[in-house]
Amino acid sequence: MGASTSKGVGVAQAAAAPSIPPAEPVNAAAPGTGEKPKCKACCACPETKRARDACIVENGEENCSSLIEAHKKCMRDAGFNI
């Protein structure tokens, strides 16, 4: 009679994720570096990513700006345009 739909599935998961946009690899060489990314964005800079994520979970995004910026710099140095 009525179709059952499951609205809201995954909403809790999306709400728990930090609001940091994903890095996109550049199609051409990154400006200033002359290199293309050597790996996928998910695998780049694991040390700064781990520290940034732990800080955000424990202290909130607004209190981790230095670690967020350090990770962005690492990603740029790896050839990602973020």
Side-chain angles (χ1 to χ4, degrees), residues 3-78:
S4 73
T5 59
S6 56
K7 293 182 181 177
V9 173
V11 171
Q13 293 169 345
S19 61
I20 300 172
E24 296 180 16
V26 291
N27 291 333
T33 63
E35 296 180 8
K36 289 184 180 180
K38 295 177 182 172
C39 61
K40 293 182 180 181
C42 62
C43 301
C45 304
E47 297 85 13
T48 58
K49 181 178 182 179
R50 191 176 304 114
R52 177 206 65 186
D53 291 350
C55 181
I56 290 172
V57 168
E58 294 173 11
N59 305 311
E61 185 176 345
E62 62 278 355
N63 298 314
C64 301
S65 60
S66 62
L67 291 172
I68 293 169
E69 290 305 315
H71 184 61
K72 286 181 181 180
K73 180 184 182 316
C74 182
M75 295 291 285
R76 286 186 200 104
D77 292 346

